[in-house]
Amino acid sequence: MKMDDVISLCVVYLVLLTREAVNGEQCHCAKLVHLQNGKQGTIPCQCTEYRHVAWYTEKEYDLVGSPFITFNNIESRTTGSQAGEYDVTLNGSLIIKNVTLSSHHNYVVEFTFNVGTPSYTSRPRIIVVVSPVPVYPVVNGYVNKQYVHMFVERWGTLHCSMAGVHPRVNLTWSVVDPSQSDKISFQHDDMNTSQNEDGTFYVSSTSTYRAQLSIQSSVVQCQVANGISSYFPAITTVELRFPPSHFALAVPVIDGCYSQQNHCVQEVGDTGKLTCTVMDSLHPVVLKWNLLGVDPSKLIFEDQIHNYQNNSKYFNASITTSYMAEDESLTMVTVQCVLESAGDDHVSHAVVSLVLSKAGESLNCAEIRITKAVLAMVIVLSSLILTAIVAGSGTPNTESWREKFRTRKLAECEVYHVMEQNLTPLVSRDRGWKDMFRNTVRAIIIV
């Protein structure tokens, strides 16, 4: 071969290589494609002036297997064992006539040009999108509801789920009104995922929410969140309705004032204890005592004991203090228990008016506690009464006994109860004796 012929062949070869490189640069296929289950789908490519294109699954290609479909651009002829399920367009795109979960592969496409060697190779990734059943996310058991109304507490959990979805997705909650983004918060998201036998997934999200007292309702949404929400456009919108504020506000209660929380009156001694309690507050609270309208030196508060509890949902608190009246002329004092909440600037209070009585003046059954000594005295005195009655000597002088009971601050109702409880069995065998005993007790105790 002459040198001129060799040079000519080299030039032709270089031209062909250049053309192949240009053609390879002009080819392009999508790297990631989402296809809808049950519909026809296309993996788009754009390539011109190629001679032949072959489509493989990535597994077949790596194992040097055969393509499942080819297209000869010169002869416009499609071949392959699965040609009935697929097709190739003139620009080399692959058409999947019926997309199923079995279509979920990584693919390899090869374009060849005149030289006969591959000049362009691409590995498109296919994600098959399967819509959930039902279409809308299920919120707290409300199935296939686009808009849900719920009456809830200001602190609780919301559950959102999707069934039969593909690929695996994440669910998220969002607040519709931006002005409420700092009024209601979501936290402690608990995501659960399980795969079904058909390859689809069940996903769920359980979130804890907390709403401030300043709002009465809030609109939130549950939706797919992990970058493919456009393929799952169904959103469940939930309107959360909260209890009215006056029900949600924590209110302090002073012991003995449960039926009159705002203001009550108690007959007490000139020394004693006061306890104020608040239950089920949404925020940490502080309790303190205020003395209203009286010189603080006339009533002394001491030994204040604070108790705080947090059960992970609500806050409970109490304050117990001992008091002592320093001024003997003081007969009534008004005390206020003030609650301050750290979370919402909420302040409320309870008021009690204490009617003070000196030692030996109070006959308040609720405040008297029977000691063993008093009980022994009651039994002895009752025995004397019973003996006197049996002997027929009549009723003894009861005035001194009445005074003894009063000075020991033993309430008439408790004395009667104790005497009847301890002595009635002794005379219960005779109805007449029993009635006489009861009448005698009343004569001694009742003022």
Side-chain angles (χ1 to χ4, degrees), residues 18-28 46-47 113 119-120:
T18 302
R19 181 180 178 186
E20 176 187 345
V22 171
N23 287 333
E25 291 176 358
Q26 291 177 346
C27 291
H28 175 74
Q46 186 62 45
C47 194
F113 298 91
S119 59
Y120 177 78

Side-chain angles (χ1 to χ4, degrees), residues 62-80:
D62 292 340
L63 294 176
V64 196
S66 302
F68 58 84
I69 189 170
T70 63
F71 178 70
N72 189 314
N73 194 25
I74 304 300
E75 302 176 359
S76 298
R77 180 169 50 89
T78 302
T79 59

Side-chain angles (χ1 to χ4, degrees), residues 113-406:
F113 298 91
N114 290 330
V115 174
T117 58
S119 59
Y120 177 78
T121 302
S122 180
R123 292 177 178 254
R125 181 187 172 200
I126 304 303
I127 295 179
V128 177
V129 177
V130 181
S131 298
V133 179
V135 175
Y136 292 97
V138 177
V139 174
N140 284 31
Y142 291 92
V143 178
N144 214 16
K145 298 289 186 180
Q146 184 178 3
Y147 204 94
V148 176
H149 294 267
M150 295 175 60
F151 290 89
V152 296
E153 297 296 330
R154 294 181 177 271
W155 192 345
T157 58
L158 290 175
H159 182 79
C160 183
S161 64
M162 277 185 167
V165 66
H166 191 276
R168 180 169 48 197
V169 298
N170 290 329
L171 298 172
T172 186
W173 286 98
S174 60
V175 181
V176 174
D177 185 354
S179 66
Q180 290 189 343
S181 59
D182 60 341
K183 303 292 192 302
I184 180 171
S185 60
F186 288 88
Q187 54 190 347
H188 307 308
D189 288 343
D190 183 15
M191 292 293 303
N192 290 299
T193 304
S194 59
Q195 190 167 17
N196 303 317
E197 293 182 358
D198 62 359
T200 60
F201 294 90
Y202 171 84
V203 296
S204 66
S205 172
T206 301
S207 300
T208 301
Y209 70 88
R210 185 169 184 170
Q212 295 185 6
L213 298 176
S214 58
I215 59 175
Q216 300 305 313
S217 64
S218 183
V219 179
V220 297
Q221 292 179 330
C222 178
Q223 59 189 348
V224 173
N226 62 346
I228 58 173
S229 57
S230 60
Y231 299 98
F232 301 95
I235 298 174
T236 298
T237 302
V238 183
E239 182 180 5
L240 301 176
R241 294 290 228 169
F242 307 115
S245 296
H246 64 276
F247 289 118
L249 296 179
V251 177
V253 177
I254 298 173
D255 278 12
C257 299
Y258 297 106
S259 60
Q260 299 169 311
Q261 293 184 0
N262 293 330
H263 189 185
C264 75
V265 178
Q266 293 187 29
E267 182 184 357
V268 296
D270 53 4
T271 62
K273 289 186 177 182
L274 286 175
T275 297
C276 182
T277 304
V278 62
M279 303 291 290
D280 298 338
S281 171
L282 292 174
H283 303 283
V285 296
V286 175
L287 294 171
K288 63 181 181 180
W289 294 105
N290 283 341
L291 192 60
L292 302 181
V294 176
D295 185 347
S297 64
K298 294 185 177 182
L299 188 72
I300 297 177
F301 287 108
E302 56 185 7
D303 300 329
Q304 297 194 35
I305 301 175
H306 294 265
N307 183 30
Y308 299 98
Q309 295 179 345
N310 179 6
N311 63 2
S312 78
K313 186 174 183 180
Y314 295 108
F315 296 90
N316 303 328
S318 67
I319 179 174
T320 300
T321 186
S322 300
Y323 70 88
M324 179 174 62
E326 289 288 294
D327 189 344
E328 293 185 357
S329 64
L330 191 64
T331 59
M332 187 174 73
V333 63
T334 301
V335 180
Q336 184 184 61
C337 176
V338 180
L339 176 149
E340 296 179 353
S341 177
D344 48 23
D345 299 327
H346 165 59
V347 177
S348 63
H349 60 268
V351 178
V352 59
S353 293
L354 303 177
V355 179
L356 304 177
S357 58
K358 307 308 175 191
E361 293 183 357
S362 175
L363 289 176
N364 188 343
C365 296
E367 295 178 9
I368 307 302
R369 296 294 180 266
I370 299 175
T371 65
K372 292 183 179 180
V374 174
L375 180 58
M377 183 187 71
V378 170
I379 295 175
V380 170
L381 292 177
S382 301
S383 299
L384 292 175
I385 294 171
L386 187 60
T387 302
I389 294 174
V390 173
S393 59
T395 303
N397 181 8
T398 61
E399 185 62 30
S400 61
W401 293 352
R402 182 188 299 115
E403 183 62 24
K404 290 179 181 179
F405 288 133
R406 291 172 62 87

